[in-house]
């Protein structure tokens, strides 16, 4: 007799049958329970170790009083503030339950079986999931091998070569997770400008606020010129609101109109909307987090250099380091020390670990544990 499991798998949509679920980083509480350690630290999910703006926390607390009501489904105040910030029209903004949500909306709106999406090898793991779930075909462009561009980085020429009549969406993470690699403005602009009109390009700028690399573009400024461009941003990283889930897309209003057709009406909750509005006001907190991230990144890469471990230069709040042996083993050993990092074998980077930049104390604690387990 057929098991219930195989019966339900057969009943699932074709794209979902073979889908590998996204594996989030291990929560601190789970590690403490499993290993009996105390004061564990987590440098595994590219969160902000300095937390959100106190103003955002105050706004969230105040919003608690109103949770008997549904949130504003249109997110009008947040949308208005974002429109002001980006000098764009409110109808060009689509709010998401994290930027993940908007990536998924793009896939659902523009992809069906028989169509194709393109992304790079080593690109953020949500793209394959979003594409495959629609039944569309994913075309994966080989990343740079280091000869013509930064190793592990997106190769725009290889991505362009995969464009066909069936292509509808290209996902570009700038910078990319887990590699931290980024694309300069001139090359990315030429790429977007040369795309045929039937191809939409999503530039995922989840780590935008952290980047100070020369030539790194703010692609939201190109929206007036390229109607097929979609830019995604999030409050999960530099704004420190990952747990509240707020992200958004900027696009041509006609694209936003389509995304809003499939968006759940209350996808960004009332507390999250209030916190995000307040977070936008606190530029001093944002600057503080970005500055400290820079210092922390310096601390980590100095440690890797001391340990003679190659790492991929990163523009984000995380860095992938080559441990010269299966990363999973080092990950496990670090868990014993109460330190959670992220193995990236699922990205076909079996010898790398991705380390999120923590606070000064967390970085020191990680480096001490790292040195110990590698000895
Ligand atoms: C490149 C990239 N894009 C998007 C996201 C999604 O973040 P969120 O859904 O929290 O906005 C992440 C999260 O890690 C990411 O690394």
């Amino acid at each position: 007799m057929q098991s219930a499991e195989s019966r339900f798998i057969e009943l699932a949509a074709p794209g979902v049958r073979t889908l590998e679920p996204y594996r989030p980083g291990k929560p601190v509480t789970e590690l403490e329970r499993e290993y009996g350690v105390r004061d564990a630290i987590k440098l595994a999910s590219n969160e902000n170790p300095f937390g959100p703006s106190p103003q955002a926390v105050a706004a969230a607390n105040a919003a608690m009083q109103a949770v008997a009501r549904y949130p504003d489904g249109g997110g009008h105040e947040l949308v208005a503030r974002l429109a002001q910030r980006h000098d764009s029209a409110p109808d060009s903004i689509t709010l998401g339950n994290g930027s993940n949500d908007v990536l998924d909306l793009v896939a659902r709106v523009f992809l069906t079986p028989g169509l194709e999406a393109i992304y790079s090898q080593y690109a953020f793991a949500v793209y394959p999931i979003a594409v495959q779930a629609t039944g569309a075909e994913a075309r994966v462009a080989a990343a740079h091998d280091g000869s013509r561009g930064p190793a592990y980085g997106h190769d725009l020429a290889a991505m362009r070569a995969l464009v066909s009549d069936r292509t509808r969406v290209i996902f570009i993470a700038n910078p990319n997770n887990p590699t931290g690699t980024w694309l300069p403005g001139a090359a990315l602009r030429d790429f977007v400008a040369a795309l045929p009109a039937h191809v939409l390009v999503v530039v995922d700028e989840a780590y935008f606020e952290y980047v100070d690399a020369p030539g790194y573009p703010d692609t939201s400024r190109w929206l007036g010129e390229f109607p097929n461009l979609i830019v995604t941003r999030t409050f999960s990283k530099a704004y420190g609101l990952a747990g509240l889930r707020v992200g958004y897309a900027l696009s041509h209003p006609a694209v936003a109109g389509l995304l809003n057709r499939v968006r759940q009406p209350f996808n960004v909750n009332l507390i999250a909307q209030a916190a995000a509005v307040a977070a936008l006001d606190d530029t001093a907190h944002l600057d503080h987090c970005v500055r400290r991230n820079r210092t922390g990144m310096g601390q980590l890469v100095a440690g890797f250099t001391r340990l003679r471990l190659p790492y991929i230069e990163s523009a984000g709040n995380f860095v992938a380091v080559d441990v010269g042996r299966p990363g999973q083993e080092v990950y496990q050993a670090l868990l014993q020390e109460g330190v959670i990092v992220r193995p990236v074998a699922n990205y076909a980077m079996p010898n790398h670990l991705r380390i999120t930049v923590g606070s000064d104390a967390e970085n020191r604690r990680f480096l001490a544990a790292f040195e110990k387990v590698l000895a």
Side-chain angles (χ1 to χ4, degrees):
M1 212 181 72
Q2 199 183 21
S3 70
E5 192 185 346
S6 59
R7 181 160 40 90
F8 287 127
I9 287 173
E10 268 176 33
L11 292 174
V16 177
R17 281 179 212 154
T18 53
L19 207 57
E20 281 284 329
Y22 181 83
R23 288 185 209 293
K26 190 187 267 296
V28 163
T29 43
E30 191 182 315
L31 173 79
E32 293 185 342
R33 214 172 29 243
E34 265 179 40
Y35 288 73
V37 291
R38 295 241 313 273
D39 305 325
I41 60 166
K42 181 182 174 201
L43 303 176
S45 298
N46 303 346
E47 295 147 341
N48 183 339
F50 311 110
S53 152
Q55 292 169 30
V57 175
N61 282 331
M64 256 321 277
Q65 303 305 318
V67 294
R69 305 282 177 199
Y70 283 103
D72 171 3
H76 289 90
E77 192 181 354
L78 178 56
V79 164
R81 297 297 303 282
L82 290 171
Q84 195 181 24
R85 151 109 10 154
H86 292 288
D87 198 15
S88 65
D91 63 358
S92 64
I93 292 167
T94 309
L95 294 182
N97 191 247
S99 57
N100 234 312
D101 189 24
V102 258
L103 297 171
D104 202 47
L105 295 180
V106 172
R108 279 168 56 204
V109 167
F110 292 104
L111 297 173
T112 56
L115 297 176
E116 297 173 359
I118 298 170
Y119 50 84
S120 174
Q121 182 186 15
Y122 310 123
F124 180 45
V126 160
Y127 311 153
I129 296 174
V131 172
Q132 200 185 324
T134 68
E137 190 183 335
R139 307 289 312 276
V140 184
H144 278 304
D145 60 8
S147 56
R148 288 177 305 110
Y152 298 95
H154 290 16
D155 178 344
L156 291 175
M159 296 180 84
R160 182 68 180 86
L162 293 179
V163 172
S164 78
D165 291 348
R166 293 182 299 280
T167 310
R168 288 295 176 278
V169 184
I170 300 179
F171 290 99
I172 290 179
N174 200 32
N176 183 44
N177 166 19
T179 59
T181 49
W182 71 95
L183 290 161
L188 185 54
R189 195 188 161 83
D190 289 348
F191 175 85
V192 176
L195 286 174
H198 67 273
V199 179
L200 287 123
V201 57
V202 178
V203 181
D204 173 349
E205 297 181 343
Y207 300 94
F208 178 86
E209 296 80 7
Y210 284 119
V211 186
D212 68 347
Y216 175 75
D218 175 352
T219 61
S220 70
R221 300 195 176 187
W222 304 349
L223 284 159
E225 252 174 295
F226 304 121
N228 54 344
L229 174 64
I230 303 172
V231 180
T232 61
R233 298 273 181 95
T234 186
F235 285 87
S236 298
K237 306 300 177 181
Y239 286 101
L241 293 173
L244 283 181
R245 317 300 302 125
V246 199
Y248 59 100
L250 296 153
S251 68
H252 188 281
V255 171
L258 288 162
L259 299 179
N260 274 305
R261 287 187 197 188
V262 292
R263 181 178 74 84
Q264 286 186 33
F266 305 114
N267 64 337
V268 181
N269 72 63
L270 188 146
I271 297 171
Q273 289 186 30
V277 167
L280 281 173
D281 278 339
D282 196 348
T283 49
H285 180 76
L286 182 73
D287 292 347
H288 169 81
C289 295
V290 168
R291 263 200 316 277
R292 289 193 67 182
N293 178 68
R294 230 158 264 158
T295 313
M297 179 69 85
Q299 227 179 328
L300 290 185
V301 302
F304 301 152
T305 305
R306 200 173 56 244
L307 295 167
R308 295 181 198 286
L309 298 175
Y311 61 89
I312 307 173
E313 203 183 326
S314 169
N317 68 339
F318 58 90
V319 54
V321 59
D322 183 346
V323 293
R325 65 183 91 167
Q328 186 67 26
E329 288 173 22
V330 179
Y331 162 74
Q332 289 292 347
L334 284 169
L335 290 182
Q336 308 278 355
E337 302 295 320
V339 176
I340 313 173
V341 297
R342 183 67 79 100
V344 283
N346 58 321
Y347 284 92
M349 297 169 68
N351 287 2
H352 280 86
L353 288 175
R354 191 194 67 198
I355 320 296
T356 301
V357 176
S359 65
D360 175 74
E362 287 173 332
N363 297 333
R364 277 189 278 118
R365 164 113 179 256
F366 156 72
L367 284 169
F370 198 40
E371 193 159 355
K372 178 175 165 195
V373 305
L374 290 172

